Amino acid sequence: MRFDDLNLHQSLTKAIKELKYEVPTSIQQQAIPIILNKKDVLGSAQTGTGKTAAFALPILHHLINQGNSSRKIKTLVVTPTRELAIQIAENFTLYSKYTNITNTVIFGGVKQGSQTDRLKKGVDILVATPGRLLDLMGQGYISLKDISFFVLDEADRMLDMGFINDVKKILEKLPTNRQSLFFSATMPKNIIEFSNKILRNPEKVIAHKTSTTANTIKQFLYFTNKSTKKDLLFHILRNNDIKQILVFSRTKHGADRIVRNLKKKNINSAAIHGDKSQNQRQKTLKDFKDNNLRVLVATDIAARGIDIDQLNYVLNYDIPNEAETYVHRIGRCGRAGNKGISISISEPEENVYVKAIEKLIGKKIEIVSEQPFKQTEKPMNAQQKKEFEKEKNRKKQEFFKNRKKKR
Ligand code: AMP
């Protein structure tokens, strides 16, 4: 199937051609005809599958055909994070290049002035995070009464991040006569129940299961010790083929520590996580996208919304204890048909997680045995683990005690 077969408005196919999208992705092939047919959609899809175009293109098609340029908000997309909101709005802008349809994006953590100025001028499509949306609705800058298309994006994350009540409040203000599209990376029972409150006779579409890793991604594994991870990372980064790499860290502190170590070796790097301000995060992302940063270190939450087209390398500095997280992480490279390489480094305590991942993805990850920092230690036994935890707690308490004293 090609984009021409989807019967989208020619101004959209023209924009898509310029973006060099040739073949619609699986979710696009499934969802676009349903949305064009004015039916609700329950979509199981994560970022990286082409989900945004799957809803943005048919919505734009309808808006073009409605020909109503009253600049009242007719489409609302609600998404959990600022990064995702910005990306979705950017995609709408790209796809609507040859139309007169306008969009804007609003999110919290920044002053509202420029957002409300833009809203006052009138806009067709609004992309928003829930908190700021409610806030500006409360202040009278936004009315949802003309909405005919509503998209709830990343619903599972929305619930994880505690936005359920906000979304419920938004739903109360939406007209009942509307088309709704609901996307979530995972579909546990509570998400399906939630979707029932929003959708009417939806058609289900599934991009692909989270247990599948794209065949375009080559996966490698290094076994090492906790104490040699840092050196192993430097060793891996000696490979000049790695022009840019996204490194995952389980914790914010861990991410900062990795960056500190890399900087000591003059490796151009920065971290992105929840403790960084909105401006810092945006700047870091831009630096990475513009190739001014070689290494971007991210936590899982911060990274899930990052849309980097040309990323070829992903490195797991720690092995996630949830196997699905591994699938999400390595899905950041090799997107939309590009080649990707994922590298994981496992310390003894993490070897069990590797096993769980291999079980989930249904294959063995290729071990790199030619390397200078091989794993020599064994995972701790129960008694050692207990002592290790005890010692860790003692150190933590000591740290807080000293900090109190200093104050
Ligand atoms: P998304 O899942 O919406 O975050 O999209 C992932 C990336 O794939 C984005 O950078 C899109 O620009 C790109 N993309 C979406 N659809 C296609 C397509 N049919 N062909 C090539 N690239 C695409």
Side-chain angles (χ1 to χ4, degrees):
M1 187 191 264
R2 303 187 64 82
F3 272 103
D4 290 337
D5 304 325
L6 288 167
N7 294 323
L8 288 163
H9 194 276
Q10 56 165 11
S11 57
L12 301 174
T13 38
K14 190 173 168 193
I16 295 165
K17 276 210 180 91
E18 277 188 15
L19 292 170
K20 305 245 172 343
Y21 292 7
E22 278 165 13
V23 184
T25 64
S26 152
I27 188 91
Q28 290 162 2
Q29 295 193 19
Q30 297 171 65
I32 292 175
I34 299 170
I35 304 171
L36 288 179
N37 220 354
K38 306 208 164 149
K39 296 217 54 171
D40 284 5
V41 165
L42 175 62
S44 172
Q46 62 205 72
T47 46
T49 55
K51 175 186 60 168
T52 315
F55 65 75
L57 290 170
I59 288 178
L60 284 167
H61 175 97
H62 284 310
L63 294 179
I64 297 169
N65 285 343
Q66 280 175 7
N68 173 352
S69 55
S70 63
R71 296 281 182 256
K72 285 183 177 149
I73 304 167
K74 294 175 266 304
T75 297
L76 173 67
V77 181
V78 179
T79 189
T81 68
R82 300 145 182 181
E83 284 84 3
L84 280 170
I86 292 169
Q87 273 159 33
I88 293 171
E90 278 173 1
N91 280 342
F92 268 111
T93 305
L94 289 173
Y95 306 145
S96 59
K97 184 174 170 194
Y98 296 106
T99 74
N100 59 3
I101 293 167
T102 57
N103 75 76
T104 194
V105 56
I106 59 170
F107 45 81
V110 292
K111 289 200 180 118
Q112 68 176 46
S114 60
Q115 297 178 358
T116 52
D117 286 349
R118 180 68 193 86
L119 287 166
K120 278 186 215 156
K121 290 190 189 131
V123 69
D124 300 301
I125 299 166
L126 177 64
V127 185
T129 53
R132 179 56 58 97
L133 174 60
L134 281 173
D135 197 357
L136 297 188
M137 281 163 62
Q139 295 179 47
Y141 288 107
I142 295 169
S143 157
L144 301 185
K145 72 176 178 30
D146 296 293
I147 297 290
S148 42
F149 301 99
F150 171 61
V151 182
L152 189 71
D153 187 40
E154 304 248 342
D156 53 352
R157 261 174 103 192
M158 201 83 87
L159 297 203
D160 275 355
M161 290 169 77
F163 286 140
I164 180 122
N165 287 327
D166 285 353
V167 177
K168 280 184 184 158
K169 281 184 206 152
I170 295 163
L171 288 174
E172 281 168 19
K173 301 284 180 207
L174 286 175
T176 44
N177 189 13
R178 57 163 205 258
Q179 191 176 355
S180 303
L181 316 170
F182 182 106
F183 292 92
S184 184
T186 56
M187 284 288 169
K189 217 168 123 220
N190 62 342
I191 291 286
I192 307 243
E193 280 166 10
F194 186 46
S195 78
N196 287 336
K197 295 200 174 88
I198 299 173
L199 303 170
R200 258 180 303 181
N201 298 326
E203 299 236 359
K204 292 194 184 77
V205 296
I206 301 174
H208 58 73
K209 283 198 238 124
T210 46
S211 63
T212 52
T213 47
N215 289 330
T216 48
I217 304 171
K218 280 195 166 167
Q219 302 171 51
F220 296 101
L221 173 66
Y222 290 76
F223 284 113
T224 193
N225 297 316
K226 191 180 179 71
S227 56
T228 46
K229 268 194 170 170
K230 189 172 77 176
D231 297 316
L232 182 57
L233 177 63
F234 300 147
H235 169 77
I236 292 168
L237 289 176
R238 269 197 213 122
N239 178 351
N240 289 328
D241 287 345
I242 306 181
K243 303 268 181 273
Q244 283 202 300
I245 188 164
L246 174 61
V247 172
F248 282 96
S249 159
R250 187 168 28 231
T251 65
K252 300 174 208 170
H253 290 306
D256 287 335
R257 196 177 321 120
I258 297 169
V259 169
R260 274 200 304 276
N261 290 333
L262 289 171
K263 283 190 171 160
K264 275 186 209 154
K265 294 268 174 187
N266 290 325
I267 297 172
N268 201 355
S269 55
I272 178 168
H273 54 64
D275 283 353
K276 302 273 180 189
S277 74
Q278 164 69 0
N279 285 344
Q280 277 174 321
R281 277 154 63 163
Q282 257 166 266
K283 183 180 175 305
T284 305
L285 261 185
K286 185 165 185 307
D287 283 347
F288 194 64
K289 281 187 186 178
D290 292 347
N291 258 318
N292 296 329
L293 266 186
R294 186 172 177 220
V295 185
L296 176 65
V297 186
T299 54
D300 290 297
I301 289 273
R304 235 173 100 178
I306 302 174
D307 179 20
I308 308 159
D309 267 352
Q310 301 301 329
L311 184 66
N312 295 326
Y313 288 88
V314 159
L315 186 139
N316 294 305
Y317 196 81
D318 48 52
I319 308 292
N321 54 1
E322 278 186 34
E324 284 81 5
T325 305
Y326 174 85
V327 179
H328 284 304
R329 283 181 176 189
I330 75 164
R332 310 308 310 176
C333 68
R335 300 178 90 191
N338 288 326
K339 281 211 176 349
I341 293 182
S342 105
I343 302 164
S344 303
I345 49 189
S346 177
E347 61 185 67
E349 298 316 308
E350 295 169 335
N351 294 354
V352 286
Y353 304 147
V354 172
K355 285 213 179 84
I357 289 164
E358 290 182 330
K359 199 169 157 214
L360 178 78
I361 63 175
K363 60 180 169 199
K364 288 260 173 227
I365 308 173
E366 189 176 331
I367 299 168
V368 181
S369 42
E370 288 290 313
Q371 53 112 334
F373 302 104
K374 285 190 193 153
Q375 195 170 92
T376 48
E377 293 163 12
K378 294 258 168 300
M380 287 183 261
N381 62 30
Q383 181 60 27
Q384 286 167 322
K385 250 188 209 157
K386 220 166 132 187
E387 277 161 23
F388 175 78
E389 286 302 323
K390 221 165 126 188
E391 179 62 13
K392 204 163 93 182
N393 281 335
R394 193 191 61 74
K395 278 191 180 152
K396 217 167 153 181
Q397 276 169 5
E398 197 177 278
F399 171 80
F400 285 116
K401 232 184 190 164
N402 285 340
R403 203 165 68 168
K404 241 184 186 168
K405 263 191 215 158
K406 273 186 198 153
R407 279 180 186 162

